[in-house]
Amino acid sequence: MSKQHTEGESTPSKNRRTVFLVVFVVCLVAAAAAAGFLVRYWLVRQEAEDVYDSLQEEVSAVDEPEPEESQAEEVVLEEEMTREIDFADLQANTNEDIYAWISIPDTNIDYPIVQHPTDDTYYLNYNLDGTAGLPGTIYTELANAKDFSDFNTVIYGHNMQNGTMFQNLHNYSDGTFFEEHPYVYIYLEDSTLKYQVYAAYEYTNVHMLYAFDYSTEEGRQEFLSEIAGLRSLTYIYDDTVEVTTDSHVLTLSTCVHDVPEKRFLVNAVLVQTVDRADLGNS
């Protein structure tokens, strides 16, 4: 018995080898599945970002001749305000929920804005082409009118590490960038809206559309006073910009990396509206 035991492999040894092989195969399959998921995730995300790149190329303004030096600033402003977006084409061929377009010069923020007809959270998790996942979509909620007539219109976008979507909002935490990039442009089917940035700051993740009663003058003033009275290292506020309870304000909202209870917000106030019909007659 003793000789046979030493010459052959013991049953415990065979069992250990079998268990090892099973574990190895399971790990190998799991690793392959994980790799497949990551590849699919990357491809879906890349395809979603390619959609935005294609749209941005389609709506890019036509290059104009170089203006005379004395007129350069005026012409740049005119180009921003007269940019044309074919919303009928976007709705028919890309996504029927597209109703506006947002652009901030010298940033990557140049995207269509959508609003889902029934689900406020849909575009938090879905892309413009209907695929699930990141980078998501720039969107507003049903509480906001699509004509931007509300006192406070909140626009949401993910803070993507590759600099897309609303990541570039964080540039406004730099005082120099804040001063040199004062305007946000919103394009609608019948008009162009120009907003001037007056505040940038980190805030709590409270829902800004429901934290204040914008239906009353007191509630609107409470919002304005809250923002004007903030104090933090990330807070920048331009008190030379006039904002009143009769104004129309934008709140651009994105996440703060690794701080889920915080949001980075940029506020801007409507300073000019140009009707599309007037542009056609100019």
Side-chain angles (χ1 to χ4, degrees):
M1 294 291 293
S2 175
K3 184 177 180 180
Q4 292 176 352
H5 179 74
T6 56
E7 289 180 349
E9 185 177 12
S10 67
T11 298
S13 296
K14 290 182 179 179
N15 291 340
R16 283 195 296 271
R17 189 173 69 174
T18 300
V19 170
F20 173 79
L21 289 174
V22 170
V23 172
F24 176 77
V25 170
V26 169
C27 290
L28 191 62
V29 171
F37 172 81
L38 290 175
V39 169
R40 181 180 179 279
Y41 171 83
W42 183 87
L43 289 174
V44 169
R45 176 169 162 181
Q46 188 61 48
E47 288 176 0
E49 292 183 353
D50 288 345
V51 169
Y52 287 115
D53 291 340
S54 177
L55 290 179
Q56 289 169 358
E57 290 178 4
E58 289 179 14
V59 303
S60 293
V62 177
D63 291 336
E64 299 288 343
E66 286 293 326
E68 296 180 10
E69 184 175 351
S70 61
Q71 298 178 333
E73 183 174 352
E74 179 181 353
V75 171
V76 170
L77 175 62
E78 186 69 9
E79 287 177 354
E80 291 290 347
M81 295 301 293
T82 60
R83 182 183 184 185
E84 294 187 5
I85 309 289
D86 190 342
F87 286 101
D89 179 70
L90 289 173
Q91 292 163 357
N93 298 311
T94 303
N95 187 313
E96 63 182 359
D97 292 337
I98 296 173
Y99 74 96
W101 190 285
I102 182 171
S103 177
I104 301 179
D106 298 325
T107 74
N108 290 331
I109 299 174
D110 191 26
Y111 295 110
I113 302 174
V114 295
Q115 185 179 102
H116 195 275
T118 60
D119 185 356
D120 279 339
T121 65
Y122 180 85
Y123 284 115
L124 180 66
N125 304 305
Y126 284 84
N127 298 305
L128 199 64
D129 60 0
T131 56
L134 297 174
T137 313
I138 305 301
Y139 70 98
T140 61
E141 296 180 339
L142 290 165
N144 277 140
K146 293 182 180 180
D147 61 0
F148 287 76
S149 59
D150 294 319
F151 169 75
N152 187 11
T153 298
V154 182
I155 307 177
Y156 302 92
H158 283 302
N159 177 18
M160 301 299 295
Q161 291 185 352
N162 65 357
T164 59
M165 307 313 287
F166 267 3
Q167 191 279 334
N168 282 183
L169 286 182
H170 287 273
N171 294 348
Y172 280 100
S173 62
D174 177 80
T176 300
F177 183 91
F178 186 103
E179 292 178 1
E180 294 179 352
H181 299 83
Y183 300 118
V184 178
Y185 297 89
I186 298 291
Y187 301 93
L188 302 175
E189 186 173 3
D190 59 358
S191 61
T192 299
L193 312 179
K194 178 181 177 181
Y195 293 80
Q196 184 169 359
V197 174
Y198 68 89
Y201 51 94
E202 286 187 8
Y203 202 66
T204 69
N205 61 357
V206 63
H207 199 301
M208 293 298 286
L209 288 176
Y210 304 114
F212 305 90
D213 184 3
Y214 301 121
S215 67
T216 68
E217 184 174 0
E218 292 77 11
R220 296 193 294 272
Q221 185 58 57
E222 181 183 359
F223 167 79
L224 296 177
S225 298
E226 167 78 6
I227 305 309
L230 292 174
R231 295 292 181 271
S232 73
L233 294 177
T234 63
Y235 177 69
I236 301 179
Y237 188 89
D238 185 352
D239 59 8
T240 66
V241 179
E242 182 180 7
V243 191
T244 72
T245 56
D246 294 323
S247 297
H248 297 287
V249 174
L250 280 184
T251 298
L252 308 181
S253 175
T254 195
C255 296
V256 177
H257 278 311
D258 300 324
V259 191
E261 69 276 9
K262 292 283 189 180
R263 296 291 181 269
F264 189 81
L265 306 180
V266 173
N267 287 126
V269 61
L270 182 65
V271 293
Q272 185 179 3
T273 299
V274 174
D275 291 334
R276 187 70 54 198
D278 293 339
L279 294 176
N281 295 329
S282 60

